[in-house]
Amino acid sequence: MAFVVSSGSLATTGAGVLPGYAAMSLRAAPWEYETIWRTQPQVRTVISFLARNIAQLGVHVYRRVSDTDRERLTLHPLAQLLNSPLLGMTTYRFIERLVSDVALYDNWYGIKLKLDGRLRILPVPPTLIRPYGGNWIRPEYFETAGGRDFGVDEVIHIHGYSPTDLTYGESPIESLRDLLLESSEASKQRRQMWKGGARMTGVLVRPADAPDWNDNEKRRFREMWRAFSSGGGSEGGTPILEDGMDYKAVGFDSKQAQYVEARKLTREEVSAAYFIPPPLIGILDHATYSNIKEQHAHLYQDTLGPWTVMIQQEFAAQILPDLPDNEDVYCEFNIAEKMRGSFEEQAAAASTAAGGPWMTRNEIRARNNLPRIEGGDDLIVPMNVTAGGLASPRDTAPDAVDAVPKARGLPRSKASGRPATIGPFDSERDALETSLTAFTDRQADALLAAAGAKADGDAGSMPDLLALWAQGSEDRLAQLQALLAHHGFRLAQVGAWEVLDVHNPDAENWTADVMLAWILAAAETHAAQHEEAGREAVGKVQEEGGDGWRENLQAAASTWGSAAAARALTASTELRSFGGHDAAGASGLTQKIWRTGGTNPRASHKAQNGEQVALDDVFSNGLRWPGDAGGETKELVNCRCTLDYAKEG
């Protein structure tokens, strides 16, 4: 239950220091830690580093909807409390003080207040409040320097570990006490050295056989040397050493006194006590770009991670119960923002993870302070991005430049000149068949599910199947084209390198990018034909109607799946033939020879085995190459024939 207090009474919690505070246990008095923080720059540097880095993260409030979903709560009482813990205090200052107190004292206190009907939190310096009475498990109440006592449920107390009880934390400064004391004493000694000893930086030595000086000569030289040395030589001039006199330096300089090394050692020890990588607080002796980058990740994972988890859980345990609507609510530091890479790295990862573009044009324009444009709220989806098996626009687009082995120096296998990333024809054909069949099965299953759901809502009557089919037609076509273009580009390269390996191993006058336009057009044609085959199968079920429409639709889906396998074989043959034909022309070959393939070729293909024509002519069956989409369908389906090439004469 939150404690209700008027603003006029707040001053009673902040006057003076608790008397006899150190006497309550063997612990050091808290004001000793305050003195250490004020006087030891290494301690202040490390604690400020922790507090500032955690305070600038920001705290978000969420409600867990399920194991895989959550909802951001910006108007929840906890979010409002963290945004304004106390009138005039920002979230940054609130978290900064909390972390600083825990880092320095291993204790933080906050008094729960209700002002204007809202819960507020008043941070109280640990020197002004302490747990009192009770036992090692729970104090009886909290006593303040102003004489005001607060119940246990009226105070938020965040503390660390103590080996003696569960009510208080032991400051990390205790483990550093001897080191800091040694550093302080060494600093005093160095100050004395510079104050006293450092003034005598050397002595003047006169040879033993030098003539004696009378009083006037001694006084004259003394005044001359004093005038020179009293200002450290700041007024200029050159001393004159007489009678063979010599100047011998004595004492230590800053390097011999190891002044810098001593301070660095202290900072390293303090940073180690708080688990902070030394380069992050300015100790760069062994720092490189790569290890600093890794230590930045280490900072938010291993250094600040335990702090943020601790604070999140303490807020949930000590603040949330006093707020309404607290079921499945929690808070979380926005540490993910700091763990992200550059914008380019984030964009690449998001595109791959989402499987497609993830920002609209207007969102990009807003990032660059540009006004919105009409139609800019729609995602532009490239043709190579699909939901049917292709991963993302980053790794499946037919990139012509990457496909040119000679230009990019891609590795080649010993047995072939083709890029090592391109497999033999059989494996590339099987890959297309697998992808196209899987895509077809998914689309058929989606149609069956949509039809079943529609029928169930209409008392079991057959829905308009063609209308359901038309709803996804545009997306299916785009996905089909992208899938066929992706595999088609690989298959065309297979055919091209089958020719190049024999006739033009260096691929002179040939690049893969010149095939792209034709491949995209072929993909569009095959996609339209495959889409039409599915529509016809569904239309036939629609036309037949009857009570058995579900079984008929299932049979139509199976038929369409079988057509996908045949389509993959036909397209593979065509793309392989086209790639070889294109490479032959670039290699100066002028003749092409038909080679009948397969275990049971059609009669017309068997009859023209060995037929030779000019490279630009057609064969007797009207085809330019096996699988040529410009020929009759009966000449194309399941064709496994190939071509050989030669120079005229």
Side-chain angles (χ1 to χ4, degrees), residues 554-567:
Q554 183 67 56
S558 299
T559 301
W560 195 35
S562 300
R567 173 69 55 187

PDB file of all heavy atoms in Angstrom, residues 554-567:
ATOM      1  N   GLN A 554     -10.217 -31.761 -54.123  1.00  0.00           N
ATOM      2  CA  GLN A 554      -8.987 -32.411 -53.680  1.00  0.00           C
ATOM      3  C   GLN A 554      -8.295 -33.090 -54.849  1.00  0.00           C
ATOM      4  O   GLN A 554      -7.066 -33.018 -54.988  1.00  0.00           O
ATOM      5  CB  GLN A 554      -9.311 -33.436 -52.591  1.00  0.00           C
ATOM      6  CG  GLN A 554      -8.094 -34.128 -51.989  1.00  0.00           C
ATOM      7  CD  GLN A 554      -7.222 -33.178 -51.189  1.00  0.00           C
ATOM      8  OE1 GLN A 554      -7.697 -32.528 -50.264  1.00  0.00           O
ATOM      9  NE2 GLN A 554      -5.952 -33.093 -51.550  1.00  0.00           N
ATOM     10  N   ALA A 555      -9.088 -33.747 -55.717  1.00  0.00           N
ATOM     11  CA  ALA A 555      -8.510 -34.401 -56.892  1.00  0.00           C
ATOM     12  C   ALA A 555      -7.916 -33.373 -57.854  1.00  0.00           C
ATOM     13  O   ALA A 555      -6.850 -33.598 -58.448  1.00  0.00           O
ATOM     14  CB  ALA A 555      -9.582 -35.233 -57.604  1.00  0.00           C
ATOM     15  N   ALA A 556      -8.591 -32.226 -57.985  1.00  0.00           N
ATOM     16  CA  ALA A 556      -8.064 -31.169 -58.853  1.00  0.00           C
ATOM     17  C   ALA A 556      -6.744 -30.632 -58.311  1.00  0.00           C
ATOM     18  O   ALA A 556      -5.823 -30.316 -59.079  1.00  0.00           O
ATOM     19  CB  ALA A 556      -9.090 -30.047 -58.973  1.00  0.00           C
ATOM     20  N   ALA A 557      -6.646 -30.528 -56.992  1.00  0.00           N
ATOM     21  CA  ALA A 557      -5.399 -30.069 -56.382  1.00  0.00           C
ATOM     22  C   ALA A 557      -4.267 -31.047 -56.670  1.00  0.00           C
ATOM     23  O   ALA A 557      -3.137 -30.643 -56.977  1.00  0.00           O
ATOM     24  CB  ALA A 557      -5.589 -29.904 -54.878  1.00  0.00           C
ATOM     25  N   SER A 558      -4.560 -32.356 -56.622  1.00  0.00           N
ATOM     26  CA  SER A 558      -3.542 -33.361 -56.924  1.00  0.00           C
ATOM     27  C   SER A 558      -3.124 -33.282 -58.389  1.00  0.00           C
ATOM     28  O   SER A 558      -1.938 -33.420 -58.726  1.00  0.00           O
ATOM     29  CB  SER A 558      -4.082 -34.759 -56.607  1.00  0.00           C
ATOM     30  OG  SER A 558      -4.410 -34.882 -55.236  1.00  0.00           O
ATOM     31  N   THR A 559      -4.104 -33.037 -59.257  1.00  0.00           N
ATOM     32  CA  THR A 559      -3.792 -32.899 -60.681  1.00  0.00           C
ATOM     33  C   THR A 559      -2.889 -31.699 -60.936  1.00  0.00           C
ATOM     34  O   THR A 559      -1.937 -31.759 -61.719  1.00  0.00           O
ATOM     35  CB  THR A 559      -5.091 -32.748 -61.480  1.00  0.00           C
ATOM     36  OG1 THR A 559      -5.921 -33.905 -61.267  1.00  0.00           O
ATOM     37  CG2 THR A 559      -4.805 -32.600 -62.972  1.00  0.00           C
ATOM     38  N   TRP A 560      -3.180 -30.621 -60.245  1.00  0.00           N
ATOM     39  CA  TRP A 560      -2.353 -29.420 -60.411  1.00  0.00           C
ATOM     40  C   TRP A 560      -0.938 -29.668 -59.893  1.00  0.00           C
ATOM     41  O   TRP A 560       0.042 -29.192 -60.457  1.00  0.00           O
ATOM     42  CB  TRP A 560      -3.001 -28.252 -59.673  1.00  0.00           C
ATOM     43  CG  TRP A 560      -2.452 -26.907 -60.055  1.00  0.00           C
ATOM     44  CD1 TRP A 560      -2.031 -26.524 -61.285  1.00  0.00           C
ATOM     45  CD2 TRP A 560      -2.266 -25.789 -59.182  1.00  0.00           C
ATOM     46  NE1 TRP A 560      -1.598 -25.220 -61.255  1.00  0.00           N
ATOM     47  CE2 TRP A 560      -1.732 -24.739 -59.977  1.00  0.00           C
ATOM     48  CE3 TRP A 560      -2.508 -25.554 -57.836  1.00  0.00           C
ATOM     49  CZ2 TRP A 560      -1.433 -23.486 -59.448  1.00  0.00           C
ATOM     50  CZ3 TRP A 560      -2.221 -24.304 -57.312  1.00  0.00           C
ATOM     51  CH2 TRP A 560      -1.685 -23.277 -58.105  1.00  0.00           C
ATOM     52  N   GLY A 561      -0.814 -30.432 -58.808  1.00  0.00           N
ATOM     53  CA  GLY A 561       0.504 -30.780 -58.292  1.00  0.00           C
ATOM     54  C   GLY A 561       1.297 -31.616 -59.278  1.00  0.00           C
ATOM     55  O   GLY A 561       2.501 -31.422 -59.456  1.00  0.00           O
ATOM     56  N   SER A 562       0.626 -32.569 -59.959  1.00  0.00           N
ATOM     57  CA  SER A 562       1.305 -33.374 -60.976  1.00  0.00           C
ATOM     58  C   SER A 562       1.739 -32.509 -62.149  1.00  0.00           C
ATOM     59  O   SER A 562       2.816 -32.704 -62.729  1.00  0.00           O
ATOM     60  CB  SER A 562       0.374 -34.490 -61.463  1.00  0.00           C
ATOM     61  OG  SER A 562       0.007 -35.339 -60.386  1.00  0.00           O
ATOM     62  N   ALA A 563       0.891 -31.536 -62.490  1.00  0.00           N
ATOM     63  CA  ALA A 563       1.242 -30.625 -63.580  1.00  0.00           C
ATOM     64  C   ALA A 563       2.473 -29.798 -63.236  1.00  0.00           C
ATOM     65  O   ALA A 563       3.249 -29.413 -64.120  1.00  0.00           O
ATOM     66  CB  ALA A 563       0.063 -29.710 -63.888  1.00  0.00           C
ATOM     67  N   ALA A 564       2.669 -29.516 -61.929  1.00  0.00           N
ATOM     68  CA  ALA A 564       3.836 -28.742 -61.508  1.00  0.00           C
ATOM     69  C   ALA A 564       5.121 -29.507 -61.803  1.00  0.00           C
ATOM     70  O   ALA A 564       6.116 -28.921 -62.252  1.00  0.00           O
ATOM     71  CB  ALA A 564       3.741 -28.426 -60.016  1.00  0.00           C
ATOM     72  N   ALA A 565       5.125 -30.833 -61.553  1.00  0.00           N
ATOM     73  CA  ALA A 565       6.316 -31.631 -61.829  1.00  0.00           C
ATOM     74  C   ALA A 565       6.626 -31.648 -63.319  1.00  0.00           C
ATOM     75  O   ALA A 565       7.786 -31.508 -63.737  1.00  0.00           O
ATOM     76  CB  ALA A 565       6.123 -33.051 -61.296  1.00  0.00           C
ATOM     77  N   ALA A 566       5.589 -31.797 -64.149  1.00  0.00           N
ATOM     78  CA  ALA A 566       5.797 -31.787 -65.601  1.00  0.00           C
ATOM     79  C   ALA A 566       6.257 -30.415 -66.076  1.00  0.00           C
ATOM     80  O   ALA A 566       7.120 -30.299 -66.958  1.00  0.00           O
ATOM     81  CB  ALA A 566       4.506 -32.194 -66.313  1.00  0.00           C
ATOM     82  N   ARG A 567       5.691 -29.372 -65.498  1.00  0.00           N
ATOM     83  CA  ARG A 567       6.078 -28.008 -65.864  1.00  0.00           C
ATOM     84  C   ARG A 567       7.553 -27.765 -65.534  1.00  0.00           C
ATOM     85  O   ARG A 567       8.280 -27.136 -66.310  1.00  0.00           O
ATOM     86  CB  ARG A 567       5.217 -27.007 -65.098  1.00  0.00           C
ATOM     87  CG  ARG A 567       5.607 -25.554 -65.230  1.00  0.00           C
ATOM     88  CD  ARG A 567       5.356 -24.989 -66.596  1.00  0.00           C
ATOM     89  NE  ARG A 567       3.953 -25.186 -66.996  1.00  0.00           N
ATOM     90  CZ  ARG A 567       3.488 -24.901 -68.207  1.00  0.00           C
ATOM     91  NH1 ARG A 567       4.306 -24.404 -69.127  1.00  0.00           N
ATOM     92  NH2 ARG A 567       2.229 -25.113 -68.493  1.00  0.00           N
TER      93      ARG A 567
END
